[in-house]
């Protein structure tokens, strides 16, 4: 199985869980952040180990601002408690997320996963700046391809596919 797809599944599930459970406009920012009204609510980070062409393990870490107040230290971050004006049960979020995630990782179709992810993203159609090792790309995010690469079009109408990097909506 394609290891990268699990990060897309996890971010889609988290966005969906938060939107349904709390009626908030949670969106996914490529490749692995959850935003609400442009502010970062959560980040996902995948770590894997491979041996030859086999994945030995894949860990997905999720940092979700629940009952803290990150805006005091990070202007572009927000928590559920900030949004909802009340404390939230972390256990209920985790249970709802895990129920959705476990159901989503059976019979995986990468095309369907990417298509579902696109329904939850705020990146496509946005002006972005993507920073990779030694290079910065700027343009309009026009798509996510079947490999999970971000497709951007720069001001010269040149299409670039980016497979990793830090993406910022500008």
């Amino acid at each position: 199985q394609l290891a990268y797809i699990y990060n897309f599944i996890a971010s889609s599930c988290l966005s969906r869980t938060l939107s349904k459970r709390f009626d908030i406009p949670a969106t996914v920012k490529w490749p692995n952040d959850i935003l609400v009204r442009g502010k970062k609510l959560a980040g996902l980070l995948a770590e894997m180990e491979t041996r030859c062409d086999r994945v030995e393990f894949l860990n997905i870490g999720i940092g979700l601002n629940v009952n803290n107040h990150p805006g005091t230290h990070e202007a572009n971050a927000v928590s559920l408690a900030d949004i909802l004006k009340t404390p939230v049960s972390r256990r209920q979020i985790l249970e709802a997320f895990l129920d959705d995630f476990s159901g989503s990782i059976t019979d995986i179709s990468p095309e369907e996963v990417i298509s579902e992810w696109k329904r939850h993203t705020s990146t496509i159609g946005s002006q972005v700046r993507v920073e990779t090792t030694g290079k910065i790309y700027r343009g309009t995010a026009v798509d996510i391809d079947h490999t999970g690469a971000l497709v951007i079009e720069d001001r010269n109408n040149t299409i670039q596919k980016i497979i990793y990097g830090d993406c910022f909506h500008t």
Side-chain angles (χ1 to χ4, degrees):
Q1 190 66 332
L2 305 169
Y4 75 90
I5 209 72
Y6 289 93
N7 205 47
F8 283 89
I9 293 170
S11 59
S12 290
C13 288
L14 185 57
S15 174
R16 191 168 47 237
T17 297
L18 295 170
S19 294
K20 286 180 183 176
R21 186 150 202 87
F22 303 107
D23 194 30
I24 59 173
T27 61
V28 182
K29 181 183 74 138
W30 184 89
N32 54 7
D33 288 340
I34 305 295
L35 304 179
V36 174
R37 295 179 192 95
K39 293 192 173 194
K40 186 174 178 175
L41 178 63
L44 292 83
L45 187 60
E47 175 189 7
M48 73 174 171
E49 183 174 303
T50 59
R51 202 166 275 148
C52 297
D53 63 349
R54 184 174 156 219
V55 175
E56 291 291 314
F57 70 82
L58 173 69
N59 290 326
I60 298 175
I62 299 174
L64 173 62
N65 293 321
V66 180
N67 293 317
N68 58 329
H69 301 286
T72 58
H73 306 298
E74 182 66 43
N76 288 327
V78 68
S79 72
L80 285 172
D82 291 336
I83 295 166
L84 303 171
K85 308 296 186 224
T86 186
V88 178
S89 167
R90 291 186 304 262
R91 181 181 178 140
Q92 288 178 355
I93 298 167
L94 181 60
E95 288 173 351
F97 167 76
L98 290 175
D99 284 346
D100 191 4
F101 185 72
S102 65
S104 298
I105 59 173
T106 58
D107 298 321
I108 295 172
S109 160
E111 295 79 20
E112 289 177 21
V113 169
I114 296 295
S115 178
E116 172 69 12
W117 188 91
K118 287 178 185 182
R119 284 193 283 278
H120 298 276
T121 191
S122 56
T123 300
I124 296 174
S126 295
Q127 292 297 309
V128 297
R129 181 182 83 249
V130 182
E131 297 177 6
T132 65
T133 306
K135 186 147 182 161
I136 296 175
Y137 299 89
R138 288 182 171 78
T140 302
V142 295
D143 201 3
I144 304 297
D145 76 7
H146 69 283
T147 68
L150 178 63
V151 181
I152 66 169
E153 182 176 349
D154 69 16
R155 64 179 181 223
N156 298 319
N157 299 319
T158 302
I159 299 293
Q160 300 283 336
K161 288 187 179 185
I162 305 163
I163 59 171
Y164 73 92
D166 290 326
C167 180
F168 303 93
H169 293 183
T170 59

